[in-house]
Amino acid sequence: MGYRRTAVIKLDTPEGADVHLQETIEQFKYCSNTASEWCWHGDDGYHVTSKAKAERGLYDQLREETGLTANLVQKGIRQAVEAVKSGVERLKNDQDTSRPTFTADTAIYDKRSATFHRDHVSLSTVDGRIECDYILPDDAEKPPTKYIANEDYEFRRATLHRRDGEWYLHASMLKEDDDTDTTTEHRTVLGVDLGVNNLAVASTGRFWSADEFNHWKREYEKRRGDLQQCGTRAAHDAIAGVERKEDGRFEIFLHRVATEIVSEAVEHECSQIVFEDLTDIRENIPQASWQHLWAFRRLYEYVAYKGPEQGIEAVQVGPRNTSKRCSTCGFTHDDNRDGDEFECQDCGYQNHADYNAAKNIGLQYLRRRQNADDGGAPVDVRLNRGTLNVSGEYNPPASSEA
């Protein structure tokens, strides 16, 4: 059985390397977006979802246009094909979608385009190889040091990220375990529900209000509206400035919430933070604006890269009935939820609707894991005190007298 971990490693880049790393990422995005455009429109009116066909049609062109190594070109094409496949599946299910686009400052590496060492990495760029040292915590038991220093964990692949002017490597590591003993430590997960009034609610009962987010959303909408009425070139330039300030304020806010969600999981010794799948979030939360939808996706992304630093994984589960299902007895009905209030029409359980949904999201993950090869490890949903098992039964904390 293999154990996979993601080590988020801050990189110490040599002088002058930033421009080459950034150009590599820009060319990688160009490669993926070009491939996405080609695959989405396809030929003979059909989308292209074959990696082999996409590589045959695009490889030589993109090698010449980008200056990327062969492996990075292949990775960019394959990333696009996977995204197009997902879009095609949505079209088959009569769901709204559009051609995938890639804007994140990332590039995907494997052992052919990167050489992974225990203290540094050598990365292929548009200007040859660049070696970057790791910046690691001194505590040998703290991620990512605990994984990188352990020779049992093997580097498999990595994604290069640039955020806030710094470079990070999200390295996927695998530890093979030949031990036939399938017993492992008991694990718990943190369920998180996202919404318009409360941006996030955890299964531990912690709420992150959306009041600040909604206030500034209204303020910036008003500023844009006032400037749009002017219709001048200066007003147009001012609108762009307002949008930059809006993005910056919201990014800071979402970073803070993501950090607090991860801290909540650490405090309650959770191994996973579970969110609803955001693919159909527009249908599931029809009252959400485009800013809310952007914030939900951004928040998940931030938790997904902050979590591994603490040995915590962010995962997504299907959203089916999480807002209508009773987390205590399992009874599902439209009348169970009325706005922010939840009252089960069968057992009478009452609580805040978002909190009930957060517990259900955690339970969805437990049910999904029931048939997985998990080494026999039991998994529960973490509450403020105690846990819920896969059947929704409450287990009090060990120190409880009741």
Side-chain angles (χ1 to χ4, degrees):
M1 182 175 63
Y3 296 92
R4 296 186 181 273
R5 295 291 184 270
T6 300
V8 179
I9 309 165
K10 188 175 182 179
L11 299 179
D12 183 9
T13 57
E15 184 177 355
D18 279 19
V19 63
H20 302 305
L21 291 172
Q22 186 62 49
E23 180 61 19
T24 301
I25 276 183
E26 292 301 324
Q27 294 302 325
F28 189 86
K29 289 191 290 186
Y30 172 80
C31 184
S32 291
N33 283 316
T34 301
S36 173
E37 175 79 20
W38 190 87
C39 293
W40 190 253
H41 296 293
D43 54 3
D44 299 327
Y46 293 98
H47 300 290
V48 175
T49 57
S50 164
K51 294 177 183 177
K53 184 174 183 178
E55 288 184 19
R56 285 196 302 270
L58 293 169
Y59 174 80
D60 290 339
Q61 170 194 337
L62 291 174
R63 276 280 277 158
E64 181 177 350
E65 291 179 352
T66 64
L68 295 174
T69 61
N71 183 254
L72 287 173
V73 169
Q74 290 172 339
K75 284 288 187 290
I77 294 173
R78 292 173 185 178
Q79 175 178 248
V81 172
E82 288 299 321
V84 169
K85 281 183 180 179
S86 297
V88 170
E89 286 301 316
R90 288 178 57 80
L91 291 175
K92 288 180 179 177
N93 294 324
D94 296 324
Q95 297 171 311
D96 291 335
T97 191
S98 58
R99 179 180 69 82
T101 57
F102 301 89
T103 59
D105 282 344
T106 62
I108 300 170
Y109 286 82
D110 65 13
K111 291 182 179 181
R112 289 175 291 174
S113 51
T115 304
F116 302 103
H117 302 275
R118 296 293 162 174
D119 60 350
H120 72 282
V121 65
S122 173
L123 299 170
S124 295
T125 74
V126 293
D127 192 47
R129 288 262 177 168
I130 290 178
E131 292 192 352
C132 305
D133 292 333
Y134 301 152
I135 301 175
L136 301 172
D138 293 332
D139 187 349
E141 295 302 314
K142 183 176 181 180
T145 307
K146 67 182 294 184
Y147 306 128
I148 295 170
N150 187 342
E151 295 286 348
D152 291 336
Y153 279 97
E154 177 189 0
F155 285 90
R156 307 293 287 185
R157 56 177 283 173
T159 305
L160 179 67
H161 290 250
R162 182 178 176 87
R163 64 177 186 269
D164 301 329
E166 302 287 352
W167 293 96
Y168 295 84
L169 201 66
H170 289 214
S172 175
M173 308 188 74
L174 176 67
K175 176 184 177 182
E176 295 289 353
D177 189 356
D178 296 329
D179 190 351
T180 56
D181 183 3
T182 58
T183 59
T184 59
E185 63 179 340
H186 196 112
R187 297 186 291 115
T188 58
V189 302
L190 184 74
V192 177
D193 180 58
L194 303 176
V196 173
N197 296 324
N198 293 296
L199 185 64
V201 178
S203 58
T204 53
R206 183 167 180 182
F207 284 64
W208 286 270
S209 172
D211 287 351
E212 179 181 345
F213 181 91
N214 292 332
H215 166 74
W216 285 109
K217 181 176 77 70
R218 291 190 295 269
E219 285 292 314
Y220 285 118
E221 285 174 347
K222 183 177 184 301
R223 294 179 192 179
R224 280 195 298 269
D226 291 343
L227 289 168
Q228 285 170 349
Q229 290 182 355
C230 297
T232 63
R233 175 72 185 189
H236 176 77
D237 292 340
I239 290 173
V242 168
E243 290 175 345
R244 285 193 296 272
K245 289 181 181 178
E246 180 181 25
D247 289 345
R249 181 180 291 276
F250 288 162
E251 293 276 1
I252 292 171
F253 172 74
L254 294 170
H255 266 293
R256 186 177 76 239
V257 174
T259 298
E260 291 176 358
I261 290 174
V262 173
S263 296
E264 185 77 1
V266 171
E267 180 181 344
H268 290 87
E269 300 179 337
C270 297
S271 54
Q272 278 88 16
I273 300 174
V274 187
F275 294 82
E276 284 185 343
D277 188 326
L278 301 180
T279 303
D280 299 317
I281 193 71
R282 185 181 296 276
E283 290 81 4
N284 298 328
I285 310 180
Q287 69 272 31
S289 65
W290 67 264
Q291 290 102 327
H292 288 108
L293 302 177
W294 170 83
F296 298 156
R297 294 188 175 94
R298 218 50 174 153
L299 183 61
Y300 174 77
E301 291 172 0
Y302 290 160
V303 171
Y305 76 66
K306 290 174 183 285
E309 297 176 5
Q310 303 296 331
I312 296 170
E313 179 188 18
V315 297
Q316 293 181 327
V317 296
R320 181 177 174 83
N321 292 327
T322 52
S323 64
K324 302 175 184 178
R325 184 181 187 275
C326 176
S327 59
T328 297
C329 74
F331 180 72
T332 303
H333 197 280
D334 289 346
D335 293 341
N336 281 352
R337 178 164 187 166
D338 182 14
D340 288 340
E341 301 298 324
F342 185 92
E343 181 177 358
C344 180
Q345 303 301 300
D346 187 37
C347 73
Y349 170 75
Q350 298 181 26
N351 216 313
H352 194 286
D354 294 341
Y355 174 56
N356 177 75
K359 292 194 289 183
N360 278 328
I361 290 168
L363 289 170
Q364 285 277 70
Y365 178 78
L366 268 58
R367 286 190 285 272
R368 190 179 80 180
R369 293 299 303 161
Q370 270 188 314
N371 297 321
D373 181 11
D374 196 36
V379 185
D380 289 338
V381 177
R382 174 62 68 181
L383 307 179
N384 186 37
R385 288 182 57 80
T387 60
L388 288 179
N389 65 22
V390 70
S391 300
E393 298 169 341
Y394 172 70
N395 301 307
S399 59
S400 175
E401 297 179 0

